Amino acid sequence: MGDSLQVSEFGSTDRLGGFGSSTDRLANYHGSETAVTEKVTKSRKPLWFILGGIVSILAVAGVIVGVLVAKNVIHTSINSKSNLNDSPAASMAASASSLAATGPSPSQTQDSSPTRTSSKTTGTHTSTSSPTSTAPTCSTEKDIPTAFKGTYNDPTTWLDMTDFNCTFTSELVGNLSINGLNSTWDDSKQANPNVPALNKLWGSYSSNPIRAVNLGGWFSLEPFITPSLFDYDASLGIVDEYTLCVHLGPKQAAATLEKHYATFITEQDFIDIAAAGLSHVRIPFSYWAVTTYSGDPYVEGISWRYLLRAIEWARKHGIRVNLDLHAVPGSQNGWNHSGRSGKINWIIGTDGAANAQRSLDIHDQLSTFFAQDRYKNVVAFYGLVNEPGITIPQNQLADWTASAIKIVSGNGVAATVVFSEALRGLPAWQGNLQGYGDKLVIDVHEYVIFDPNMIVFDHTKKVSFVCSTFEGQIAASMDTSTGFGPTMVGEWSQADTDCAQWVNGVGSGARWTGNFSGTTTPYCPTGNSQCSCALADQPASSFSSDYKTFLLAFAEAQMSAYETGWGWFYWTWKTENAPLWSYQAGLQGGFMPPVAYKRDWTCTDKVPSFGSLPEYY
Ligand SMILES: *[C@@H]1O[C@H](CO)[C@@H](O)[C@H](O)[C@H]1NC(C)=O
Ligand SMILES: *[C@@H]1O[C@H](CO)[C@@H](O)[C@H](O)[C@H]1NC(C)=O
Ligand SMILES: *[C@@H]1O[C@H](CO)[C@@H](O)[C@H](O)[C@H]1NC(C)=O
Ligand SMILES: *[C@@H]1O[C@H](CO)[C@@H](O)[C@H](O)[C@H]1NC(C)=O
Ligand SMILES: CC(=O)N[C@H]1CO[C@H](CO)[C@@H](O)[C@@H]1O
């Protein structure tokens, strides 16, 4: 989320751009788009039928034992040697697993890591019906090599084992662990009847737009999404993930954040997202999922495996993923959701060049990892960096972006790369970063409440403004004579005020009531002391039917406008108590269309009446 979109961005420049030759560097990576349902069945030789029969009986016993181990022993076994796991059945199953067939060789995956132990990055396995079936032999403390013991890569220390593979592996890809992942995957699922299964080509996003949500506040904390994590005395100055981690210290920070990762979003959310007719999720995550630097208080690595599991849940329910690197070293925008609120020390500022290089190194690792075959069908979009600040000169940002694209595409990522318009308006990118075809898309975030010129619009005007101005912006951006080209809306919400608790930062006031950051003018339509945040403090159950009519129209107007481009990602799926920022709350409260692709109202219709809805809260 950003807070400095200006009305000035509506202007469209008509610069004639030299578009350069269309080399479509990235376009090749979608390649053959073959189904990677990788259900490899090992071919058997006659002798194996006899041996296999014996082994399979033992393997079944191993499965039962393994399930018990998975359910109970992970934590208790830390202190007591697991005799279950030492059972003959389990060890036979374990050795049976070493007979597993070798699968297809990895394709474009490259790995710079010297510690990588294996090149099997694809569906290398035996099917569950094979006589040499792998029973889940959960690793215990004694199985973990010293170098990994007690680190975030040691599965015996994990809080939550749901759907994680409990067998330790030292295998790394891009120097990033695959621990917790299964060897097989299934890309045959369709999110809904309206969209192709993962292993089928999506086709054109201009004709079949994205309808999606963000999973904000999960791996990149935001006080307004989960105020419960920031519930401290104001004098402690805990305003972002940085200050929170400093306050908690390494151990407590790791425990607090892991609990949050394990509980805030679960598989049920992916089920509900698919049921709502949504096809994609944008998943914000922070650089400390990958690494940390000297002096960083952030919790390293734990969010990584939850991110990987999130992708598996998305896959299971046919949902495509937009990976969003939301926080880079040094902070790209100085906002709380970049980890640390304050200065921009990325490209510009203290150590700006070093931090820019670090973020490229992180993309080298990430893109090596996400070039694995297992991600080719499920990771549809790969975001470079969320909302870089407007004070970063555009030419320097464009140079960094071109370098990042080169790294990511060079490593063989199949996804379309996403870059942010960086709060300077879509027209500023006309003629820039051309030649990538539909493998590069610009991301704009549309809010009416962070700009004093728009927040003052009354309800009817907010809806009509979206349909005229925002829709016009997107349409202009889609056309390379007036804009960049492929355009998506990576964030938007139903908020019509900036009243939600801490939406402007911990302890901040609101533009609406006139006490945000030194302002004294109340920016609500009545523009006087009537302006009130009282309604925003209420749960959605207290919303009037007129207000819900507005909220639904406001949502449908935005969906309609953004589908002029490649579609939209609502910000965000879930909040603790900010219903105008929660798709889930909208569904439950009856102010979101129950199925995103079946809607009653579009921008070509007349704005409905909102009855006697007051304009001051
Ligand atoms: C991994 O495999 C195990 C055992 O078959 C299964 O219980 C688990 O749900 C799988 N995890 C995922 C994310 O599919
Ligand atoms: C790989 O990551 C580990 C930490 O996870 C780090 O200590 C090591 O230096 C990294 N190696 C390379 C080659 O980047
Ligand atoms: C679990 O991980 C181990 C180690 O990477 C792997 O050999 C095994 O096949 C995985 N299990 C499943 C069910 O995929
Ligand atoms: C802003 O004004 C509201 C309502 O008048 C009040 O509740 C809130 O505490 C004020 N916030 C700040 C930071 O002054
Ligand atoms: C001071 C600061 O960084 N405030 C930002 C905190 O994040 C919210 C969204 O979560 C932004 O709207 C604020 O500008």
Side-chain angles (χ1 to χ4, degrees):
M1 278 177 51
D3 65 357
S4 67
L5 287 172
Q6 296 301 317
V7 169
S8 60
E9 81 174 73
F10 304 152
S12 73
T13 55
D14 274 314
R15 268 184 296 150
L16 289 170
F19 299 127
S21 60
S22 189
T23 46
D24 260 4
R25 231 179 336 153
L26 292 160
N28 290 326
Y29 288 100
H30 247 305
S32 50
E33 283 291 336
T34 44
V36 189
T37 310
E38 305 298 341
K39 291 278 183 196
V40 182
T41 309
K42 180 176 159 40
S43 60
R44 311 176 201 122
K45 296 191 174 77
L47 172 65
W48 284 102
F49 280 106
I50 299 150
L51 279 174
I54 297 163
V55 171
S56 64
I57 291 161
L58 293 169
V60 166
V63 167
I64 294 161
V65 165
V67 165
L68 291 172
V69 168
K71 286 206 172 342
N72 298 313
V73 180
I74 287 306
H75 281 95
T76 56
S77 70
I78 291 170
N79 297 319
S80 61
K81 280 242 163 67
S82 163
N83 38 16
L84 282 176
N85 230 26
D86 293 340
S87 74
S91 54
M92 179 58 91
S95 58
S97 78
S98 71
L99 300 173
T102 45
S105 61
S107 52
Q108 291 122 314
T109 308
Q110 290 156 18
D111 185 16
S112 52
S113 162
T115 44
R116 186 174 158 202
T117 56
S118 159
S119 63
K120 64 174 169 78
T121 59
T122 59
T124 305
H125 65 294
T126 53
S127 74
T128 42
S129 60
S130 159
T132 54
S133 175
T134 308
T137 47
C138 287
S139 300
T140 60
E141 204 186 6
K142 66 179 166 35
D143 305 320
I144 312 299
T146 315
F148 292 89
K149 262 199 202 335
T151 71
Y152 55 81
N153 268 327
D154 175 350
T156 69
T157 67
W158 295 0
L159 173 70
D160 173 15
M161 292 309 293
T162 313
D163 285 333
F164 282 122
N165 183 335
C166 55
T167 308
F168 173 81
T169 172
S170 56
E171 184 175 344
L172 305 170
V173 180
N175 201 26
L176 287 162
S177 173
I178 69 157
N179 260 326
L181 290 180
N182 285 345
S183 313
T184 58
W185 63 89
D186 177 355
D187 287 345
S188 63
K189 190 86 177 149
Q190 238 178 318
N192 66 63
N194 221 36
V195 299
L198 296 179
N199 57 16
K200 300 274 166 32
L201 273 174
W202 182 274
S204 160
Y205 277 101
S206 325
S207 45
N208 195 14
I210 298 158
R211 300 183 177 102
V213 286
N214 281 270
L215 300 178
W218 191 15
F219 304 133
S220 302
L221 297 189
E222 292 199 37
F224 97 97
I225 297 176
T226 56
S228 69
L229 290 175
F230 291 86
D231 189 15
Y232 294 95
D233 193 282
S235 65
L236 293 171
I238 296 168
V239 297
D240 52 25
E241 196 162 335
Y242 187 99
T243 46
L244 178 67
C245 291
V246 169
H247 175 73
L248 294 174
K251 248 186 112 164
Q252 196 53 40
T256 303
L257 287 179
E258 182 162 10
K259 183 160 173 260
H260 169 67
Y261 300 148
T263 55
F264 184 57
I265 301 282
T266 65
E267 186 182 1
Q268 188 60 47
D269 292 291
F270 288 83
I271 294 168
D272 296 344
I273 286 167
L278 302 165
S279 58
H280 290 60
V281 287
R282 179 172 180 255
I283 311 184
F285 68 102
S286 302
Y287 74 83
W288 45 96
V290 173
T291 192
T292 52
Y293 303 95
S294 143
D296 275 357
Y298 301 120
V299 174
E300 181 181 336
I302 295 181
S303 53
W304 176 249
R305 66 171 178 273
Y306 288 94
L307 171 65
L308 298 188
R309 186 178 65 176
I311 297 169
E312 295 312 311
W313 282 338
R315 187 199 308 277
K316 190 169 169 192
H317 300 288
I319 293 167
R320 289 168 169 83
V321 171
N322 176 357
L323 291 173
D324 162 41
L325 187 57
H326 216 71
V328 291
S331 174
Q332 74 277 19
N333 53 32
W335 288 326
N336 46 15
H337 45 76
S338 71
R340 189 172 195 183
S341 97
K343 293 202 174 67
I344 300 177
N345 290 320
W346 180 74
I347 300 186
I348 58 172
T350 311
D351 297 326
N355 285 328
Q357 184 56 48
R358 284 168 164 177
S359 60
L360 291 176
D361 295 343
I362 287 166
H363 275 306
D364 194 17
Q365 285 188 258
L366 285 170
S367 56
T368 300
F369 193 89
F370 289 112
Q372 291 178 79
D373 275 350
R374 64 162 75 236
Y375 294 114
K376 286 201 181 330
N377 294 323
V378 67
V379 174
F381 293 97
Y382 181 107
L384 297 177
V385 56
N386 178 64
E387 295 183 356
I390 196 160
T391 53
I392 302 168
Q394 193 182 359
N395 60 339
Q396 292 184 50
L397 182 58
D399 287 349
W400 180 88
T401 304
S403 305
I405 295 168
K406 197 171 170 189
I407 290 167
V408 171
S409 62
N411 283 332
V413 163
T416 289
V417 175
V418 183
F419 77 103
S420 167
E421 55 84 36
L423 308 158
R424 64 202 67 220
L426 288 167
W429 295 95
Q430 191 272 334
N432 244 302
L433 295 165
Q434 296 296 296
Y436 301 102
D438 66 358
K439 299 312 279 181
L440 184 65
V441 59
I442 194 167
D443 177 18
V444 64
H445 300 169
E446 302 283 27
Y447 295 109
V448 295
I449 56 144
F450 295 122
D451 185 323
N453 297 296
M454 295 185 246
I455 191 174
V456 293
F457 296 155
D458 67 20
H459 290 107
T460 301
K461 172 83 189 195
K462 281 187 173 112
V463 174
S464 63
F465 181 83
V466 160
C467 288
S468 55
T469 307
F470 282 172
E471 180 165 323
Q473 277 185 339
I474 307 291
S477 180
M478 289 289 288
D479 180 340
T480 51
S481 68
T482 45
F484 166 76
T487 306
M488 63 163 59
V489 177
E491 296 186 14
W492 62 281
S493 81
Q494 273 167 304
D496 58 336
T497 73
D498 63 339
C499 284
Q501 185 194 17
W502 297 343
V503 76
N504 294 315
V506 173
S508 290
R511 294 164 186 81
W512 191 258
T513 52
N515 64 0
F516 169 70
S517 181
T519 61
T520 51
T521 313
Y523 288 103
C524 91
T526 58
N528 55 26
S529 59
Q530 270 188 299
C531 299
S532 162
C533 281
L535 187 61
D537 296 332
Q538 303 301 314
S541 55
S542 68
F543 292 174
S544 69
S545 65
D546 285 340
Y547 192 44
K548 288 185 181 185
T549 303
F550 160 73
L551 291 171
L552 181 61
F554 192 38
E556 293 189 330
Q558 295 193 69
M559 292 172 179
S560 171
Y562 308 152
E563 289 175 18
T564 306
W566 276 22
W568 48 265
F569 296 82
Y570 186 88
W571 188 271
T572 182
W573 169 246
K574 180 188 272 186
T575 61
E576 283 177 350
N577 54 24
L580 304 183
W581 297 88
S582 164
Y583 204 99
Q584 188 185 50
L587 288 169
Q588 287 165 356
F591 50 95
M592 266 299 177
V595 177
Y597 55 85
K598 286 186 199 152
R599 303 194 302 264
D600 299 335
W601 192 88
T602 76
C603 278
T604 54
D605 298 316
K606 191 174 174 298
V607 180
S609 160
F610 306 131
S612 53
L613 186 60
E615 296 294 350
Y616 45 84
Y617 60 54

